[in-house]
Amino acid sequence: MSFTSFTPNQTAAAPARRLSDAARLEALRKYQILDTPPEAVFDDLVRLAAYICGTPISLVSLLDAERQWFKARVGLEVPSTPLNLAFCRHAILTDKVYEVEDATLDPLFQRNDLVTGEPNIRFYAGAPLITPEGQMLGTICTIDTVPRRLTEEQRDALRILAREVVSHLELRRARIQLEEEKHKLEGLLRMANDTAESFYLHGGQNEIFIKQDHKLLRVNTTDIRYVEALGDYVNIYSGRERYTVYSTMKELEAKLPVRDFARVHRKYIVRLDRIIAIENDAVIVEAGRNAEQATSVLPVPIGSSYKAALLSRLNLV
């Protein structure tokens, strides 16, 4: 049998102390992983562990305050077990692979319900899931119903898979944090635009706020010459700057002062006081000034469905 470096008395006393560690449980909470649906990347890792170790059961087990919950499992139907039955609570007491060759001969486990009843555990090997900060979240483990012993290569593979599990937990947490930051930023953007719209309705300064490189920039609508749609994005030409934002023309049009802007095409919105001329089916818009301060112009097509509305807003003589 293999009991790592722990004596029975040491191992039996330590789990309760370690698992009540508030810092460890708080670290687990921050991953927002408990009770989430299966994910292919974790399912693949437990299947690989079972293949490498030649066992019918493999699990990614996370140890909460009162249970061990399985983020991924193969060969076992139940999603969790009580913590007092968990082999994994002993495995997180070491940074090595914890291995039990025959649970019926081990005083720690021979009366365990998972040994005396289904799934009739005999063999267990678990590698701890250690966060970059050193907290033990649980294990990736392999289980068999007959006694066995891993080779050193299999133990090394289990340690590698444990690091892979933690890497994917870190990536998952980073993705969640980015999404949360994105939602916060979008909320600020909506709030800023609503405030700017309120200013406009009450005669205040005409402004919009746009998101650029994870920043919110204030843009005065009097500086905007025209707006151009480009797929899922919109280019806003203001002064000498061009801002690209993820938006639709309809959304942006609702934020611009109606009295100052006109939709002239499904792809273009222009500021009325920047129109220099209308030639055939195009408006000639002042596009800016070059280095010599000469005015450059841009012909913008007029969509047939927008032409009548545009002409009605111009002071025709």
Side-chain angles (χ1 to χ4, degrees):
M1 291 184 297
S2 173
F3 300 104
T4 69
S5 61
F6 295 95
T7 66
N9 288 337
Q10 289 174 320
T11 312
R17 293 199 303 271
R18 186 60 175 266
L19 293 175
S20 65
D21 182 0
R24 192 196 71 81
L25 293 174
E26 180 59 25
L28 178 59
R29 301 287 191 278
K30 287 182 178 178
Y31 283 92
Q32 300 182 46
I33 190 75
L34 292 174
D35 300 309
T36 56
E39 296 176 50
V41 64
F42 298 106
D43 292 341
D44 289 346
L45 290 173
V46 294
R47 288 168 57 202
L48 191 56
Y51 295 154
I52 290 171
C53 297
T55 59
I57 300 171
S58 182
L59 311 164
V60 168
S61 175
L62 300 170
L63 301 180
D64 202 356
E66 298 180 351
R67 60 173 176 157
Q68 64 170 348
W69 177 78
F70 307 131
K71 174 58 183 174
R73 62 188 190 273
V74 61
L76 192 68
E77 295 300 321
V78 296
S80 65
T81 68
L83 189 61
N84 67 314
L85 301 180
F87 282 56
C88 297
R89 69 184 181 132
H90 302 279
I92 69 166
L93 301 178
T94 175
D95 58 2
K96 301 177 176 61
V97 173
Y98 183 87
E99 188 172 351
V100 178
E101 294 178 20
D102 189 345
T104 63
L105 302 179
D106 188 328
L108 282 175
F109 305 110
Q110 58 191 190
R111 294 182 179 86
N112 188 301
D113 291 348
L114 302 178
V115 176
T116 59
E118 292 291 337
N120 299 302
I121 295 174
R122 295 296 178 269
F123 168 79
Y124 170 92
L129 306 178
I130 308 173
T131 72
E133 297 76 29
Q135 296 293 347
M136 306 282 198
L137 302 181
T139 72
I140 182 169
C141 63
T142 60
I143 295 170
D144 207 337
T145 56
V146 296
R148 64 165 59 241
R149 179 186 180 89
L150 294 184
T151 66
E152 188 52 46
E153 289 78 10
Q154 289 171 322
R155 294 188 194 98
D156 189 42
L158 207 55
R159 286 189 288 265
I160 292 170
L161 290 174
R163 292 195 293 270
E164 282 297 303
V165 171
V166 174
S167 294
H168 285 290
L169 287 173
E170 287 289 315
L171 288 172
R172 187 181 183 281
R173 179 167 67 171
R175 187 169 63 249
I176 290 172
Q177 290 174 338
L178 285 174
E179 286 296 320
E180 290 175 347
E181 290 300 317
K182 177 184 175 183
H183 290 322
K184 289 179 184 177
L185 189 56
E186 288 174 348
L188 282 173
L189 183 60
R190 285 193 298 271
M191 186 184 302
N193 277 335
D194 290 343
T195 302
E197 186 175 353
S198 176
F199 286 164
Y200 166 67
L201 293 174
H202 293 87
Q205 188 177 17
N206 298 333
E207 298 171 337
I208 61 172
F209 288 79
I210 61 176
K211 182 168 59 176
Q212 293 287 287
D213 298 326
H214 307 292
K215 296 184 294 185
L216 287 175
L217 299 180
R218 185 195 306 266
V219 176
N220 196 314
T221 59
T222 59
D223 295 330
I224 297 176
R225 303 188 305 276
Y226 66 98
V227 178
E228 173 189 35
L230 197 63
D232 294 331
Y233 294 86
V234 172
N235 287 328
I236 300 173
Y237 294 86
S238 175
R240 294 186 178 182
E241 301 293 332
R242 183 188 71 182
Y243 303 107
T244 301
V245 297
Y246 182 77
S247 179
T248 65
M249 290 291 272
K250 184 177 180 180
E251 290 173 346
L252 187 58
E253 188 177 18
K255 299 297 182 182
L256 296 173
V258 176
R259 64 185 180 186
D260 298 328
F261 288 85
R263 183 86 169 265
V264 299
H265 190 274
R266 63 183 180 83
K267 293 181 61 176
Y268 290 97
I269 297 173
V270 300
R271 186 173 175 89
L272 292 172
D273 61 9
R274 293 300 181 103
I275 297 176
I276 297 175
I278 296 179
E279 296 180 2
N280 299 320
D281 290 323
V283 292
I284 309 303
V285 178
E286 179 187 344
R289 296 179 181 273
N290 58 27
E292 289 75 30
Q293 298 300 309
T295 300
S296 60
V297 296
L298 173 76
V300 175
I302 303 173
S304 57
S305 60
Y306 299 94
K307 190 169 186 177
L310 173 63
L311 293 177
S312 69
R313 298 184 61 187
L314 300 177
N315 291 325
L316 297 179
V317 177

